[in-house]
């Protein structure tokens, strides 16, 4: 006798977990002044393309670790839309509660602040099932796709995007890059790669999945650690461009900022296989 709950009830539970995940993952960013300002001054064209990129990432996360098992890309896109909607509602509620937005502000300012805050909240909404629910509810198709090399690299990209986004708009990131010498930057790159490799593939955290393919040191190091750091660099450069951080800066200073931002990006890429 089938004792599993009806599909509608499971979906409703998934939405509830999604809202909780949106608040938990988004709260540190929702209480950050730089993020409030970013929603006010960020170029609306860049904000729109960043929201589109985030939506596509959410679709991929739905396939690999969404708040309900899916069997088609159409369902993944619908889940991504649901996650965005829940994240928008959560961000709007919290920002209004903190008096960061009110009806006296221009509509464009309110939309900008909510839109930029909805990015980390949408990650939390999409990942609510895995973090807050039973792992048994995740489908076998998701498990198979997570185990592929492409799936692992995608998770790294998502982790780098989430953690890099949380620091990219801050002034501290620019200050650190300004204070660092070229030697500091080189050492930071080396440490980032070693941490990326050591956090998961050498230390062996509880709950980690076996990487696909050969598992020798050099194979893992070059196929995952080096490639993972390259992904963190690309994500960091994209975030810096989106937030206007590298406009008018020299190559050396831009490279230093990328190295700084790739450090949390590499950490995010390393732990993505555990938390996503």
């Amino acid at each position: 006798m089938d004792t599993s709950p009806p599909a509608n009830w499971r979906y409703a539970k998934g939405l509830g977990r999604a809202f909780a995940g949106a608040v938990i993952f988004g709260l540190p960013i929702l209480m950050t002044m730089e993020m409030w300002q970013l929603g006010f001054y960020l170029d609306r064209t860049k904000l729109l393309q960043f929201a589109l990129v985030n939506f596509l990432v959410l679709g991929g996360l739905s396939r690999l670790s969404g708040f309900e098992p899916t069997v088609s890309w159409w369902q993944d896109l619908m889940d991504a839309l649901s996650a965005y909607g829940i994240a928008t509602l959560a961000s709007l509620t919290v920002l209004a509660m903190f008096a960061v937005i009110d009806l006296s502000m221009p509509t464009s300012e309110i939309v900008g602040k909510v839109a930029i805050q909805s990015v980390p909240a949408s990650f939390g909404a999409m990942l609510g099932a895995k973090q807050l629910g039973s792992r048994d509810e995740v489908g076998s198709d998701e498990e198979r796709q997570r185990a592929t090399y492409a799936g692992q690299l995608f998770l790294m990209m998502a982790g780098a995007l989430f953690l890099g986004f949380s620091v990219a708009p801050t002034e501290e990131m620019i200050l650190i890059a300004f204070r660092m010498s070229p030697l500091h930057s080189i050492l930071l790159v080396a440490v980032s790669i070693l941490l990326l490799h050591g956090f998961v593939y050498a230390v062996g955290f509880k709950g980690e999945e076996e990487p696909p393919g050969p598992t020798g040191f050099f194979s893992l190091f070059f196929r995952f650690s080096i490639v993972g750091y390259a992904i963190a660099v690309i994500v960091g450069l994209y975030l810096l461009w989106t937030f206007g951080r590298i406009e008018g800066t020299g190559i050396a200073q831009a490279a230093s900022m990328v190295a700084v931002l790739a450090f949390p990006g590499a950490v995010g890429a390393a732990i993505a296989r555990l938390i996503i």
Side-chain angles (χ1 to χ4, degrees), residues 14-30 82-91 94 117-129 132 162:
L15 292 179
R17 292 169 181 165
F19 187 87
V23 174
I24 293 171
F25 277 73
L27 196 57
I29 308 300
L30 287 164
S82 297
Y84 237 140
I86 292 170
T88 299
L89 177 62
S91 300
V94 174
Q117 298 283 2
S118 296
V119 172
S122 65
F123 271 73
M126 186 59 70
L127 303 178
L132 306 176
F162 176 78

Side-chain angles (χ1 to χ4, degrees), residues 6 13 29 87 124 127 133 141 178 201 251 254 262:
K13 288 175 63 178
I29 308 300
L127 303 178
D141 184 57
F178 179 78
Y201 301 110
I251 295 179

Side-chain angles (χ1 to χ4, degrees), residues 89-112:
L89 177 62
S91 300
L92 183 64
T93 301
V94 174
L95 291 177
M97 188 169 57
F98 291 160
V100 176
I101 58 174
D102 56 59
L103 295 179
S104 66
M105 295 178 178
T107 303
S108 62
E109 181 177 350
I110 295 176
V111 171

